[in-house]
Amino acid sequence: MLQPVGPLPPSVYWRRRGVAAAVAVLVLALLVWAIAAAASADGGPAAPAAAPASANSSAAPASPVASRGALPDDPDGRGPAVAALASTLRSPAAGGLLGAPGLPGTRPQTGAPPSGGALPGGGALPGADSQPGGVPAPGSMTPSPPASSTPAPAPSPAGPTPAAAPPAAAPAAPPRCADGDLRITARTDKPEYGPGEHPLFSLVVTNTGSAPCSRDLDAARQAMAVVRRPGDGLWGSNDCSPAHTDDVRTLAPQQEAVFSVRWAGRTSMPGCTGDRSVVGPGTYELLTRLDGTISDPARFTLS
């Protein structure tokens, strides 16, 4: 049965048997490899870890960040049980316990994390050591939070919201100036005037009180007059040009309000009737009035 029988030389049949045996071995190896890969993907036992390097080895230290599918050597000698616990915490199933979005002290992320481990710059677990740049220290564990497309809601501010301040009340209007708080003064710009000069007369109102006050200084309430002596008038400011203005003013303490007019040097009558003659040389008096208050006379000379 082992000896080939046929019209062809025996070497041909031996070669065919060798090819068929190689194909069978290859198919069997592929089948075994597929079964082992499926078992490893379903959580089967991992391949045994390589023996740790000796203490006297001059090889470079292991990377502090675990690569995909492997963990760094245990620097504290905690054994395979602790290493298995670290692998479990790094699995997606543990993300809902330690790495869920909204965990105190962590920042919510959107989208899937980059391949190869934790998010860059992600917050470390409470109590874990960290190194500059967001790289975990050797032996620390950084769980990867599950991907989320909706950011966590912003926390509401603590405590009640303060109510808006009410608008400031408008300042109260100052009181009306009493007659006793006002000083009415007659003033001339010069004590003596030559031929052809026109004197400048002024009515000055001064607040002599200690607080601001307001008063209606309408032109109809004012008057100026040039007299030889009281009762002998020559000119009045309202005879030919009566005026009326809405002029309510607020005067601070010792503040003055000045009203001036330039006299043409002619006489006048109420209603601007009669002839207006030139006033000759002599000494005259200027009187001013606000409502019922009359000033002291201011003397001046026409030469």
Side-chain angles (χ1 to χ4, degrees):
M1 184 175 178
L2 297 177
Q3 296 297 328
V5 177
L8 298 177
S11 59
V12 174
Y13 296 103
W14 284 112
R15 282 195 297 271
R16 290 180 179 176
R17 291 180 180 181
V19 171
V23 171
V25 172
L26 180 60
V27 171
L28 181 60
L30 290 175
L31 182 60
V32 172
W33 177 82
I35 293 174
S40 176
D42 293 338
S54 63
N56 296 328
S57 173
S58 60
S63 170
V65 181
S67 62
R68 180 185 297 273
L71 290 176
D73 292 335
D74 185 7
D76 298 330
R78 293 173 293 183
V82 178
L85 177 59
S87 176
T88 302
L89 293 178
R90 195 167 53 248
S91 65
L97 297 176
L98 299 179
L103 185 68
T106 61
R107 180 183 304 171
Q109 302 286 342
T110 58
S115 61
L119 293 172
L125 292 178
D129 296 330
S130 61
Q131 293 179 346
V135 179
S140 63
M141 296 171 290
T142 306
S144 301
S148 173
S149 59
T150 303
S156 59
T161 302
R176 180 181 182 275
C177 298
D179 291 344
D181 292 334
L182 296 180
R183 181 174 63 245
I184 310 303
T185 306
R187 182 184 298 171
T188 62
D189 60 331
K190 292 172 60 177
E192 184 175 352
Y193 300 93
E197 289 187 305
H198 295 162
L200 181 66
F201 299 150
S202 297
L203 182 158
V204 182
V205 181
T206 306
N207 177 13
T208 61
S210 59
C213 61
S214 62
R215 186 67 179 260
D216 185 2
L217 303 181
D218 184 356
R221 297 176 178 272
Q222 306 173 19
M224 300 184 190
V226 174
V227 299
R228 292 188 181 91
R229 57 185 176 275
D232 185 8
L234 297 175
W235 168 83
S237 60
N238 295 339
D239 289 345
C240 294
S241 56
H244 173 74
T245 59
D246 186 9
D247 191 2
V248 178
R249 301 193 185 188
T250 298
L251 301 177
Q254 305 306 317
Q255 182 180 359
E256 294 182 347
V258 181
F259 304 90
S260 299
V261 62
R262 191 170 291 278
W263 181 41
R266 295 176 178 271
T267 61
S268 67
M269 296 290 290
C272 209
T273 59
D275 295 335
R276 302 189 63 189
S277 59
V278 176
V279 177
T283 299
Y284 303 94
E285 295 180 349
L286 170 67
L287 298 174
T288 59
R289 174 182 61 83
L290 176 66
D291 292 331
T293 305
I294 301 175
S295 68
D296 292 335
R299 291 180 174 80
F300 64 96
T301 302
L302 299 179
S303 57

